[in-house]
Amino acid sequence: MFIMQSKNKTAFRTHTCNELRVENVGNDVSICGFVHRIRDHGGLLFIDLRDHYGTTQCVVQEGDAAFKLAESLKDESVIKVTGTVIKREESTINKNMDTGEIEIKVSKIELLSAPSEQLPLQINVENEFPEDTRLTYRYLDLRKKENHDNIVLRSNIISHVRNAMIEQGFLEVQTPILTSSSPEGARDYLVPSRVHHGKFYALPQAPQQFKQLLMVAGFDKYFQIAPCFRDEDARADRSPGEFYQLDFEMSFASQDDIFNAIEPVIYSTFKKFAPSDYEITEYPFKRIKYEDSMLHYGSDKPDLRNPLIIEDLTNIFEDSNFGAFVEAIKQGAKVRSINVPDCAKEPRSFFDKLNDWAKSIGLPGLGYITLTHDGEYKGPIVKFLNESDLAEIAKINKMNKGDVVFLVCHNDPKVAGTVRTKLGCTKGLVNEKAYKFCWIVDFPMYEYDEETKQIIFSHNPFSMPQGGLEALETMDPLDIKAYQYDIVCNGIELSSGAIRNHIPEIMYKAFEIAGHDKDFVDTKFKGMIKAFKYGAPPHGGCAPGIDRMVMLLARTENIREVIAFPFNQQAQDLMMGAPAEVTPQQLKELHIAVLPKVNKK
């Protein structure tokens, strides 16, 4: 019998579990995989056989040579099935399966491997299992279709991104994993040297200095899918330990050039892998100044799927009769407003629940002003305002009849951002079927650290200040902007980037303002600062996070779901047992002694 050749044919199989179709009917075939499910229909056994590619139904009839072995099989046994492809009866066709029009009439089953222990988690059920169980047995967890598909999606996204960068003329270069420790914002992972007593390598937090040195070396456009290592706490959108980013750098490039290079890559990636009914921001992406983002969205990573906008009403309330706000403003608070359209129709319980929620996050409550359909202003704060103030509030917030303006008085602008998010979600205003991109630009070069009472870098310390050396020498440091930018999607920061500071004199001065002398720069960044003294082209770059891109496209809120073998929230690999103790001999070779842990009081 003729067998249609498969590109996945091996010594074990003629086809995968997702290749056979009606045109294969009558062919003798062999497929291999995991027993996903067995159904006993009284003298007929139906085996759903699953492999990396999909599932095929196999049929064994009582009295067949393979029946005895088939009825003894356990879920997740690994078998080879040989038989003939037959067409299913019309009434049994499964339109939800790619192979749903056919099945294999089994003539032979070979048991390749069988579970010798009870499965700690089931593959063929939708039940949720504890994350620690899932991560301990991650190789089983990844057999589940949704998790398996996430890793396939990740691979496809990386391939697409890589090809898109190469098509633009970027050169893929790998940079070192063992390097020197560098103060770049997070704790380093240190690796002791056996050869050099008392010295340590560090795993790179990012290829920051190396990619800049490639520009100094005369390469024009570099990229890599770079592993980065940071000893920092886990979040839903941040994996502890390691993560991957699309790291790239360009010589003789302005901020606009960086944007023009990466926007088509980001757009094409989301266009290719997003569901067809999703809205995706066309490029060029919207650019929002940092200070405007903090004002109008209460965040430097705004979710533009939420149409609500925050406005500033501090000037109106500082001269009002509303004493609570007046006193708070004297202490440095700002009054922010958020107009929610067509909200006046909501019942009193709606406002009471919002007020209770506001108290749960530390606010005294949530004030509001309603513009009724009759054109009247109502609400608990209205009596403290005159007609002129109310008219101005309505104008600033673009209020229409039926709208409600909610008021937040607080020192931290992010609190208003939290309220904006709550209102958008509560009212169902967030477009769940969209990927909305924007750039946040003009970050401040420095910020004041209340804890240390010092001026520190607010972003990448290697960024070029706007205005160059003159700005550093003549301006208030807290007024200096930098050529720094973030790309944001749906409220998640995908990437940070900057035009780099490639002039030694400017770098020394920038670090001096942040409290670091010339020796600090020469010691901590000696490779890069020395290289700059031999001439360096203007350059800049960006590094979109691969893990976060995949997380968004997989439509999951937990980044660990799109990493093949992630750490848990305590930075542990439960499957491999890392971190783990090592032998005394290993410590001796490294001249390291482990001291007893001291509990801090």
Side-chain angles (χ1 to χ4, degrees), residues 9-30:
K9 182 179 184 297
T10 70
F12 283 88
R13 68 190 181 199
T14 61
H15 295 78
T16 70
C17 292
N18 198 43
E19 282 186 291
L20 299 171
R21 300 292 189 272
V22 173
E23 54 265 30
N24 300 106
V25 168
N27 290 346
D28 293 332
V29 298
S30 295

Side-chain angles (χ1 to χ4, degrees), residues 293-325:
S293 184
M294 294 305 296
L295 169 59
H296 294 303
Y297 303 100
S299 172
D300 59 0
K301 39 183 179 290
D303 187 348
L304 299 188
R305 296 174 303 167
N306 182 351
L308 300 181
I309 300 295
I310 301 169
E311 300 291 353
D312 183 21
L313 300 183
T314 307
N315 289 342
I316 293 175
F317 276 93
E318 66 182 349
D319 295 324
S320 72
N321 293 320
F322 189 38
F325 277 14

